[in-house]
Amino acid sequence: MQKDKEFKHFESVQTNATELIIRDLVAECMKGVPGVLFRSVQTDEVVSQDKNKMGNLTNLADLGIEIPVYNCQNPSHLDTGHNDKCYRSENDFILLYVDGDKLCIRMIEVKRPNTTPWAVEEKMPSEDMVEKCLQQLEKGVVFILSMIPDISSENLQIKTFSAYPETHCDSLFCESCQLSTITAEDVEKTKTQPN
């Protein structure tokens, strides 16, 4: 079923709806605070913008911005022989705002353990899903740091969040990890106790 074209489209619509839950949650939490929220940042598009044309990579390098290679599968590629697919990574949300002398960066990766809304039981995120989420967050941090090479680390505050907004999974995570995990419980709490 996962390879069925209609199911993939349906899954994409459901994933979009799940991401909108987080977008709305962030908007509610940031009400009255200036900032910018980027959604679905495709790093390969930052590098190329035009299919198979790597012009942005050179322009960014001229500014001192070195975009990291994430997915090069070709061992014959040298430092300068990569194509746009080598830079492929996706970040669901990047939130930027200023707090005093700090640029606050929040990376949020959204996951949906339940791929079908008709599932009778709520499916919990698997270890593999959590691991992939953390790997995407790590790539996101590396990407954003590559874009702001001139900002000193003492003026940055970076936090990452794994989000499972449709899943009641607080109990899966330790207390420490719960601080960087957004679950259905958090979404419900925000609806009943805004800000």
Side-chain angles (χ1 to χ4, degrees):
M1 181 160 33
Q2 296 274 336
K3 292 183 181 180
D4 180 82
K5 202 173 191 176
E6 278 185 51
F7 180 79
K8 286 302 251 180
H9 175 71
F10 174 75
E11 191 176 47
S12 174
V13 168
Q14 293 296 307
T15 299
N16 183 59
T18 303
E19 289 181 4
L20 292 178
I21 293 170
I22 294 298
R23 182 205 61 191
D24 295 345
L25 183 69
V26 170
E28 181 64 32
C29 292
M30 293 296 294
K31 202 175 274 184
V33 178
V36 63
L37 180 65
F38 296 100
R39 180 172 177 228
S40 195
V41 177
Q42 308 286 333
T43 55
D44 55 329
E45 290 180 14
V46 171
V47 167
S48 63
Q49 285 190 344
D50 294 319
K51 297 262 185 248
N52 300 318
K53 294 181 183 172
M54 304 289 285
N56 273 4
L57 188 64
T58 303
N59 295 339
L60 291 168
D62 290 346
L63 294 172
I65 298 171
E66 298 292 331
I67 305 295
V69 175
Y70 296 109
N71 293 311
C72 185
Q73 303 296 317
N74 189 338
S76 69
H77 283 173
L78 302 173
D79 287 340
T80 58
H82 296 289
N83 61 38
D84 60 336
K85 290 180 184 146
C86 298
Y87 296 91
R88 175 76 177 101
S89 180
E90 189 255 348
N91 303 285
D92 289 333
F93 291 100
I94 301 173
L95 171 64
L96 305 171
Y97 64 96
V98 175
D99 185 13
D101 66 345
K102 301 237 186 267
L103 173 61
C104 299
I105 302 170
R106 304 297 183 256
M107 312 291 296
I108 306 170
E109 187 60 39
V110 182
K111 296 295 180 192
R112 295 184 66 244
N114 278 353
T115 56
T116 57
W118 56 83
V120 178
E121 292 184 27
E122 190 173 58
K123 187 176 177 183
M124 294 294 116
S126 65
E127 274 187 49
D128 187 50
M129 178 180 276
V130 172
E131 182 64 33
K132 284 181 181 174
C133 185
L134 295 174
Q135 288 170 358
Q136 279 184 278
L137 286 167
E138 182 179 352
K139 288 178 183 178
V141 169
V142 170
F143 170 72
I144 199 72
L145 288 175
S146 75
M147 296 298 289
I148 52 172
D150 293 335
I151 299 178
S152 168
S153 61
E154 63 191 29
N155 296 109
L156 293 174
Q157 184 194 72
I158 301 173
K159 293 184 180 180
T160 60
F161 296 88
S162 302
Y164 309 91
E166 299 175 324
T167 309
H168 295 85
C169 57
D170 256 0
S171 62
L172 289 179
F173 301 99
C174 69
E175 263 187 66
S176 178
C177 291
Q178 284 179 17
L179 297 174
S180 60
T181 306
I182 302 167
T183 64
E185 291 93 340
D186 298 311
V187 173
E188 291 164 2
K189 196 182 309 176
T190 303
K191 286 179 182 176
T192 59
Q193 304 167 355
N195 282 348

